[in-house]
Amino acid sequence: MPTITPEDARTLARAALVAHGCDAANADAVADTIARAERDGAASHGLFRLPGYVASLKSGKVNGASRPKITNRAPAVLHVDGDGGYAPVAHQALAGPLAAAAKTEGLALAAVTNTHHFSALWAEVELLSERGVAAIACVSFKPALPPAGGTTPLYGTNPIAFAWPRPGRDPVVFDQASSVMARGEVMIAARDGHALPPGAGIGPDGQPSTDPAEVLRGALLPFGGYKGASLAMMVELLAGPLIGENLSLEAAETDPADGGPPRGGEFILTIDPDSARGSTDWAQHAEKLFEAIASQEGARLPGQGRAARRARIAEQGIDIAEDRLQELRALAEG
Amino acid sequence: MPTITPEDARTLARAALVAHGCDAANADAVADTIARAERDGAASHGLFRLPGYVASLKSGKVNGASRPKITNRAPAVLHVDGDGGYAPVAHQALAGPLAAAAKTEGLALAAVTNTHHFSALWAEVELLSERGVAAIACVSFKPALPPAGGTTPLYGTNPIAFAWPRPGRDPVVFDQASSVMARGEVMIAARDGHALPPGAGIGPDGQPSTDPAEVLRGALLPFGGYKGASLAMMVELLAGPLIGENLSLEAAETDPADGGPPRGGEFILTIDPDSARGSTDWAQHAEKLFEAIASQEGARLPGQGRAARRARIAEQGIDIAEDRLQELRALAEG
């Protein structure tokens, strides 16, 4: 099997996006997100999504020459209008102003609207934590999960991501769907012919199923039963009505189903720990918790698996099937 | 079996607290919280906790005459020093200033320190949502849950509560532990001799157990596996190092184990939807989601079960065993 590097992934992605109508700035932001996903072994958010990105440019749904606009809705609320472009373009624009607002006000919210989010959330919270603030982000998508007690998809898989800054070290980051499995993982299982673990989903008849194709036509299930459903509901409210963007059910109503991401919003909260605590010793204090985790046999910090995959990929590269590589090269040729 | 009303619960609780050293204002705040828990059928946070409250007054750990102090650490951060008292006293003091700060700044954080939290969190987020703001609150406690991959308790059961305001109607509220079961529920199962559901905990040997006594000596388990553990870790950071209060492991180190709540902090975030959205149509937009939930057979809104229990208790009262009632009356007599 051929191997490629994360840099190869970036080059391929950038070329495919430019060939289908992105300008350089927009292509760079998305290609960077794809390359970071591949670097971290998150195949379901890497080149796997490139055909969907290209489809959404071809259909004219996404603005490949977006210029996000940032205004204040309140002293601690920035409205980020994504200009119909991909979310990473908005993220690069908002990181500086949002972290600065958190430092002035103590905490700050980015109400991100009019974007198309098609990747993992850890990229944006990691970016913010590198500026010394803690960050919590969430997005909805299109209906995938039923509400507690129901069987019909209503909520998106609605991930929540969190990053805690560690001065001089990599931040502690998690990014987890409200479902047992992320939709991208189920799509990959369907492509590769693997069964899902029990409890991950139900078929169109509302009965439990381990067949990924059945589950994609039925519903994914929230993690932890009704508790995961509560979190998914909260995400719908925070990334939708609260900031003035689509609910998942509305995104589905208006999306052309071209294979790319629907229009949606994102809730990104940043907190300046110096302001929240009133001193700078939060960093040392948090290390006491991380040391207690590390001291338990078998225990791990969130993100530790990702860091290990990153190191392995830096050494060994990314395996990719020959026919998939050819498909991607064809996309890059336009 | 005798029955009492929520008002009887309030009277009993108030008398017991005053008899053991609370002043009127502190006793009123705590008795109100106990009465609200009993009114909503949440026995594990109602009179069940009264002996623990009294024990923590007897040991001198808690200040029954607390006067919380509120200062600004940043424009959008209020520091609430609970003066060593019970958390509900601080909640009553902070609700007005915190909601006002959210309306001015767009959102605001209460960094609550030096309090003793011994009840459910829905009371405080409900109180805030009645002022028209959305609220998210979390607290740690003493070690009960292992980190992902580990078997030794490190995190508290670390609940997260959320309230969404609905003008003219009851808010949508959830309040859920990061564990499969709340510690109070396990204590009640131990008292009543009931087995726990599989997956709720492990014994001191690290092996799965359904015996509540074994689990209280071993560890509760997070809901949804590592995902619940991630949330519990986030709560440790938000309610501890971020705001300048104890981690659960530190609370255990300094607590006299008198049966009452340890000293701890609370993270309470409020968001003004008018500011976050830049308009007032968030309320109507959210109803579209709630209607979609209600339209599914079997589906329910978070808090719906609690509302049903509240209605039943208003009609039928609260069953209480004769010997327990005698114990509580003895406490109230001092």
Side-chain angles (χ1 to χ4, degrees), chain A residues 73-77 103-109 111 134 136 146-155 160-162 164 172 174 176-182 223-228 230-231 233-234 236-238 240-247 249-250 253 267 269 271-278 281-283 285-286 288-290 292-293 296-302, chain B residues 73-77 103-109 111 134 136 146-155 160-162 164 172 174 176-182 223-228 230-231 233-234 236-238 240-247 249-250 253 267 269 271-278 281-283 285-286 288-290 292-293 296-302:
Chain A
R73 280 182 174 166
V77 179
K103 287 179 191 210
T104 306
E105 301 296 323
L107 68 164
L109 170 66
I136 299 176
T151 55
T152 306
L154 175 61
Y155 308 137
I160 297 176
F162 173 73
W164 179 262
V172 168
F174 69 77
Q176 54 194 33
S178 296
S179 49
V180 174
M181 292 181 74
F223 77 91
Y226 74 90
K227 292 190 178 186
S230 294
L231 296 175
M233 182 201 73
M234 180 177 76
E236 288 289 329
L237 293 167
L238 296 180
L242 182 76
I243 62 168
E245 248 300 350
N246 276 335
L247 296 162
L249 74 100
E250 294 168 322
E253 283 165 3
F267 170 99
L269 174 70
I271 309 173
D272 175 40
D274 290 354
S275 303
R277 186 171 175 123
D281 50 357
W282 54 268
H285 192 185
K288 187 168 176 179
L289 181 68
F290 301 142
I293 296 171
Q296 283 198 34
E297 197 186 326
R300 57 189 185 277
L301 277 176
Chain B
R73 281 183 173 166
V77 179
K103 287 180 191 205
T104 306
E105 301 295 324
L107 68 165
L109 170 66
I136 299 176
T151 55
T152 306
L154 175 63
Y155 308 137
I160 297 175
F162 172 74
W164 179 262
V172 168
F174 70 77
Q176 54 194 34
S178 297
S179 47
V180 174
M181 293 181 74
F223 77 91
Y226 74 91
K227 292 190 177 186
S230 294
L231 296 174
M233 181 201 74
M234 180 177 76
E236 288 289 329
L237 293 168
L238 297 180
L242 182 77
I243 62 168
E245 249 298 353
N246 276 336
L247 296 163
L249 75 100
E250 295 168 322
E253 283 165 3
F267 171 99
L269 175 70
I271 308 173
D272 175 41
D274 291 353
S275 303
R277 185 172 175 122
D281 50 358
W282 53 270
H285 192 184
K288 187 167 175 181
L289 181 69
F290 301 143
I293 296 171
Q296 282 197 35
E297 197 185 326
R300 55 190 186 276
L301 276 177

